[in-house]
């Protein structure tokens, strides 16, 4: 997300709601949202992103947008998935604070004021925690609990509920993050790369009454795969040789040890080398070690291309004082 917003376009908060075949929920949701947001006394916009719905979702949202100008609609050409839809909403949002939520009434709009309060206290990311989650145990709550623990340990950003869509972000935080795959649940972790203050508050969660969930248990596998990517980005994205090089050297060291062992066995006990499985293993480890180091070096080249092509510095500045006029590291990544 890298949009610039002029002062007269800006609003205080943007709600971003991806929807995919949620016709039965839309009609109920709009009055609930409006009531909660009007009561805030802040300027706001609600951006619905229709992620290729084939039911009456789009029609209903178009009607709502014609009635209320603060309701905006982006219609995607096909179903791109929740993360991509959310990204489309973030790119269009002009709020100082951006709040994504689900379009199936499972999140409660009445939690929005509490999220905003925390942002006003100085936090950059406020994450909702579905403390009393109303989903099935075996297919949802259990895998999600395990995934949450794992994500917490691996990313070092400690939250109870990464998967809760209802979160609040200061605009600048989202501005420095690009979302791929199913990454929306990792935004707080990715945001930690730029240095943010994160907190969480318990939020209300309601059972899905209308329409069907768009996911099944296979999501857990995708989350784990994304977690590997996030861990790599968090720890090694600017120095891939550190991880691949280490693997390569360890592998080569193992190969050397085995080679010596095999030669020693040959000299001492006249053991065969040609059909010795340890000799084969040593040869494999040696090749593997070279491959790892090669991968690390390629990674180093790619990282340089990534940062330099986009003018992205490898650091993020919070503020500056008395620097030369026009000083700008890379492309405006000033927070
Ligand atoms: N959604 C979407 N595109 C998709 C799948 C889901 O925009 O491909 C939306 C969906 O309409 C809902 C939100 O993402 O507003 C969360 O989806 P769902 O309720 O199915 O997820 P769950 O609550 O079961 O985790
Ligand atoms: Mg849901």
């Amino acid at each position: 997300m890298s949009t610039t917003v002029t002062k007269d376009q800006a609003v205080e908060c943007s709600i971003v709601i991806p929807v995919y075949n949620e016709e039965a929920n839309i009609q109920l949701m709009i009055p609930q949202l409006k009531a909660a947001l009007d009561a805030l006394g802040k300027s706001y916009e609600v951006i619905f992103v229709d992620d290729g719905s084939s039911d009456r979702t789009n029609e209903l949202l178009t009607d709502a947008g014609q009635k209320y100008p603060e309701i905006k609609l982006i219609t995607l050409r096909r179903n791109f998935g929740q993360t991509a839809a959310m990204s489309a909403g973030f790119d269009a949002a002009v709020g100082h604070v951006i709040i994504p939520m689900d379009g199936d009434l499972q999140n409660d709009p009445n939690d929005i004021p509490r999220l905003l309060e925390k942002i006003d206290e100085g936090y950059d990311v406020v994450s909702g925690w579905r403390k009393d989650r109303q989903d099935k145990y075996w297919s949802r709550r259990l895998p999600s609990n395990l995934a949450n623990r794992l994500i917490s340990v691996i990313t070092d950003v400690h939250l109870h509920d990464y998967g809760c869509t209802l979160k609040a972000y200061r605009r600048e935080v989202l501005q420095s993050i690009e979302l791929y795959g199913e990454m929306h649940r990792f935004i707080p972790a990715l945001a930690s790369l730029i240095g943010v203050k994160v907190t969480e508050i318990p939020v209300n969660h309601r059972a899905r009454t209308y329409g069907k969930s768009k996911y099944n248990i296979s999501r857990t596998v995708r989350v784990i795969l994304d977690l590997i990517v996030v861990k790599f980005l968090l720890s090694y994205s600017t120095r891939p040789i550190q991880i691949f090089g280490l693997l390569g050297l360890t592998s080569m060291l193992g190969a050397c040890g085995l080679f010596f062992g095999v030669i020693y066995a040959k000299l001492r006990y006249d053991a065969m080398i040609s059909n010795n499985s340890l000799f084969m293993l040593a040869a494999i480890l040696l090749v593997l070690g070279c491959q790892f180091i090669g991968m690390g070096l390629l990674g180093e080249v790619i990282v340089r291309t990534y940062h330099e092509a986009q003018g992205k510095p490898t650091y993020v500045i919070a503020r500056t004082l008395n620097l030369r006029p026009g000083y700008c590291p890379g492309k405006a990544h000033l927070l």
Side-chain angles (χ1 to χ4, degrees):
M1 167 177 175
S2 52
T3 35
T4 36
V5 172
T6 58
K7 234 181 176 161
D8 54 317
Q9 288 175 318
V11 292
E12 278 164 281
C13 93
S14 299
I15 315 291
V16 171
I17 311 177
V19 280
Y20 179 43
N21 294 341
E22 303 285 3
E23 60 181 358
N25 291 309
I26 303 280
Q27 270 161 318
L28 295 168
M29 186 168 189
I30 287 171
Q32 283 187 18
L33 259 173
K34 261 197 79 61
L37 293 169
D38 287 341
L40 269 178
K42 293 189 170 182
S43 55
Y44 69 88
E45 61 174 356
V46 180
I47 303 180
F48 281 96
V49 184
D50 176 10
D51 188 16
S53 300
S54 52
D55 63 358
R56 289 182 62 235
T57 298
N58 200 273
E59 201 185 314
L60 295 172
L61 288 174
T62 309
D63 288 350
Q66 277 158 359
K67 211 160 141 201
Y68 309 112
E70 47 304 348
I71 294 187
K72 301 169 184 178
L73 172 63
I74 299 173
T75 309
L76 302 184
R77 291 189 77 104
R78 65 168 172 86
N79 178 249
F80 284 89
Q82 190 185 351
T83 303
M86 226 185 243
S87 220
F90 290 162
D91 287 343
V94 292
H96 295 304
V97 180
I98 300 178
I99 303 181
M101 65 188 285
D102 282 345
D104 57 358
L105 286 170
Q106 290 201 268
N107 295 136
D108 186 348
N110 293 315
D111 285 319
I112 293 173
R114 288 171 44 245
L115 292 171
L116 289 173
E117 265 167 36
K118 282 280 169 197
I119 292 276
D120 287 341
E121 278 175 32
Y123 290 99
D124 300 301
V125 177
V126 185
S127 179
W129 170 17
R130 296 164 292 180
K131 213 168 177 177
D132 185 17
R133 188 169 167 185
Q134 302 296 319
D135 276 323
K136 288 192 193 114
Y137 182 75
W138 289 103
S139 61
R140 280 296 150 85
R141 281 171 19 224
L142 179 72
S144 159
N145 272 344
L146 297 176
N148 283 326
R149 293 220 179 128
L150 193 68
I151 298 172
S152 174
V153 170
I154 291 187
T155 62
D156 219 20
V157 173
H158 303 290
L159 296 177
H160 285 93
D161 189 4
Y162 297 85
C164 178
T165 312
L166 186 63
K167 292 180 161 67
Y169 303 99
R170 236 176 251 281
R171 178 185 174 73
E172 309 84 77
V173 171
L174 291 180
Q175 215 146 23
S176 53
I177 293 174
E178 300 293 341
L179 295 176
Y180 297 94
E182 302 274 317
M183 293 277 186
H184 66 267
R185 75 192 57 242
F186 294 112
I187 301 176
L190 290 170
S192 74
L193 265 179
I194 63 166
V196 285
K197 270 178 84 182
V198 181
T199 189
E200 68 181 351
I201 57 167
V203 294
N204 191 11
H205 192 244
R206 311 182 280 199
R208 195 188 243 279
T209 326
Y210 304 103
K212 281 198 298 261
S213 169
K214 312 299 179 296
Y215 297 101
N216 53 35
I217 189 86
S218 73
R219 174 161 70 182
T220 316
V221 181
R222 285 181 281 154
V223 169
I224 302 288
L225 291 175
D226 279 345
L227 180 61
I228 298 175
V229 179
V230 170
K231 174 66 190 169
F232 183 74
L233 290 179
L234 287 180
S235 307
Y236 303 107
S237 69
T238 54
R239 45 191 186 124
I241 193 71
Q242 303 284 336
I243 177 105
F244 289 114
L246 193 70
L247 286 172
L249 288 181
T250 316
S251 195
M252 282 177 156
L253 208 68
C256 281
L258 287 173
F259 274 132
F260 279 123
V262 170
I263 290 168
Y264 180 76
K266 168 77 186 166
L267 296 177
R268 185 83 196 259
Y269 309 107
D270 199 28
M272 293 257 281
I273 289 188
S274 57
N275 63 354
N276 187 336
S277 54
L278 289 181
F279 182 69
M280 299 302 287
L281 184 62
I284 291 172
L285 282 179
L286 188 68
V287 174
L288 211 64
C290 293
Q291 298 263 18
F292 274 133
I293 292 181
M295 253 160 46
L297 291 174
L298 277 179
E300 289 286 327
V301 175
I302 294 170
V303 164
R304 280 162 178 69
T305 318
Y306 171 79
H307 282 283
E308 283 160 32
Q310 301 186 57
K312 268 193 179 174
T314 48
Y315 52 85
V316 185
I317 293 174
R319 62 193 81 75
T320 60
L321 178 68
N322 293 344
L323 268 156
R324 68 177 156 76
Y327 163 76
C328 173
K331 264 189 212 158
H333 270 79
L334 280 171
L335 277 186

